[in-house]
Amino acid sequence: MMKPIIFIDGEAGTTGLQIHSRLHGRSDIQMLSLAAHERKIQARRSEALNSCDIAILCLPDEAAKEAVSFITNPQVRVLDASSGHRTTPGWVYGLPELDSEQPLKISKAKRVSNPGCYPTGAILLIHPLVASEVIPNDYPINVHAISGYSGSGRQLIDQYEDPSHPEHKTSPFIGYGLDLSHKHVPEMQKYSLLSHRPLFTPAYGKYKQGIVLYIPLHTRLLKSNSSLEKVHETLDLYYANSEYVNVQPLRDAESTKLLEPEILNNTNKLNIWIFGSKDQDQILLAAVYDNLGKGASGAAVQNLELMLYGLS
């Protein structure tokens, strides 16, 4: 029996290298690679894209769209790690925990779009609460997240890690997305089931990888029966059978004073925390995960497994 052929277009980038590392040594698949000097030759890329079983795109958005246009073989399936197709009709959103039907959709899809690192945490927090009507879909959602600098790719990694770089950075914290038009916002809105755009304020810290993401809630703006316990119960039940998403007990949240962004690095896990107290009308949702794991390459490999083997 022929082994499935996997081609990573953009394998020299941050996400591509991470995916390649996670797949290295596997005996159930065959990796197709291009020599460094061939990777920018359109004819060679097109040949590789059309001779594989699954193409994983680790490219800038426009380059990913171009790569898809090169594919003429109807048997080739695509897993796009860019943000180029995350809200495109006909593409399946590659977040298996979105709902009970999503793993099957991913397993059968010809075109799968891997989620963004920030939207992964935001959607996993918001979607179940809106779907269960704990949060109204017009709630004014604010998402604040701090990621390791690897979330911006090779350029910022080099700026932080190479002291000789002409734009060498030493800042402990950099806020960005101040025009409120970050490319992840449409994705967050769509898959969180929100009727209005969330306000998203991202930042980088002076560490390589890991995310802490926060979403504050005011109980006075929620459904009348919503409470800290109701929010926790809803999320805990929603992810009860999840392999990778873990909702932490309220008793643990009560005693937790610090959240470390690097605690789940090099894994595909995501921890959900719900903070608050009965005498406050405020709840703080938090997600901790690896922006290169569950936020990128780990999620890609999780989706690849579904595309290869379905739900078995």
Side-chain angles (χ1 to χ4, degrees):
M1 184 176 178
M2 294 286 291
K3 297 178 182 179
I5 298 172
I6 311 299
F7 172 57
I8 303 174
D9 194 5
E11 65 178 294
T14 303
T15 301
L17 287 170
Q18 288 270 330
I19 295 173
H20 200 281
S21 176
R22 289 168 185 260
L23 299 177
H24 179 71
R26 286 183 53 158
S27 60
D28 60 324
I29 58 176
Q30 179 180 342
M31 298 298 297
L32 172 61
S33 294
L34 295 178
H37 71 277
E38 296 180 307
R39 292 172 187 162
K40 293 186 178 181
I41 300 175
Q42 179 176 328
R44 291 293 293 120
R45 285 181 59 214
S46 181
E47 180 183 350
L49 286 164
N50 283 284
S51 59
C52 67
D53 293 293
I54 299 178
I56 303 176
L57 309 182
C58 300
L59 303 163
D61 293 357
E62 292 307 312
K65 293 176 183 178
E66 180 184 54
V68 173
S69 74
F70 294 159
I71 299 174
T72 57
N73 181 349
Q75 300 305 312
V76 174
R77 304 171 73 190
V78 179
L79 174 57
D80 184 7
S82 83
S83 60
H85 296 99
R86 289 178 186 155
T87 58
T88 301
W91 286 71
V92 172
Y93 193 57
L95 186 57
E97 297 85 2
L98 185 66
D99 57 40
S100 60
E101 299 177 358
Q102 205 67 10
L104 182 61
K105 291 178 181 178
I106 295 167
S107 72
K108 294 181 176 299
K110 285 283 190 180
R111 300 288 185 266
V112 177
S113 183
N114 214 52
C117 56
Y118 291 125
T120 293
I123 293 164
L124 290 176
L125 290 173
I126 303 168
H127 177 98
L129 298 175
V130 175
S132 301
E133 298 186 345
V134 174
I135 295 178
N137 68 350
D138 61 351
Y139 188 94
I141 291 288
N142 293 318
V143 179
H144 179 63
I146 306 95
S147 171
Y149 55 75
S150 61
S152 186
R154 175 54 56 191
Q155 181 177 355
L156 192 59
I157 293 174
D158 290 344
Q159 288 176 347
Y160 264 105
E161 297 185 353
D162 181 3
S164 66
H165 195 286
E167 297 181 50
H168 179 56
K169 295 188 182 300
T170 59
S171 302
F173 182 92
I174 298 176
Y176 67 105
L178 303 180
D179 62 357
L180 306 184
S181 61
H182 195 284
K183 66 180 182 178
H184 285 169
V185 173
E187 177 185 356
M188 286 185 189
Q189 179 181 349
K190 179 176 180 177
Y191 298 107
S192 295
L193 308 177
L194 297 171
S195 60
H196 301 289
R197 289 167 58 90
L199 195 156
F200 176 44
T201 53
Y204 293 124
K206 192 180 178 180
Y207 63 97
K208 187 167 186 176
Q209 64 193 90
I211 287 178
V212 175
L213 181 144
Y214 297 112
I215 298 176
L217 299 175
H218 296 275
T219 55
R220 68 181 183 275
L221 301 179
L222 304 181
K223 301 291 186 179
S224 59
N225 64 339
S226 297
S227 63
L228 176 69
E229 292 76 14
K230 180 65 174 178
V231 168
H232 183 274
E233 177 187 14
T234 301
L235 290 170
D236 194 38
L237 181 62
Y238 202 86
Y239 298 116
N241 298 315
S242 174
E243 181 178 358
Y244 298 113
V245 179
N246 301 295
V247 179
Q248 308 305 300
L250 281 177
R251 63 180 178 274
D252 290 352
E254 291 172 0
S255 61
T256 296
K257 305 302 180 185
L258 300 170
L259 288 182
E260 297 283 350
E262 301 171 293
I263 194 69
L264 294 177
N265 280 3
N266 303 312
T267 77
N268 197 46
K269 294 187 179 298
L270 181 147
N271 285 347
I272 287 176
W273 296 84
I274 302 99
F275 299 101
S277 65
K278 293 181 180 179
D279 59 351
Q280 298 171 336
D281 71 347
Q282 298 171 328
I283 297 170
L284 181 64
L285 308 177
V288 179
Y289 54 107
D290 182 4
N291 60 287
L292 297 181
K294 186 59 175 163
S297 60
V301 173
Q302 183 183 356
N303 285 322
L304 178 63
E305 295 291 340
L306 287 169
M307 295 173 77
L308 288 172
Y309 304 115
L311 303 181
S312 60

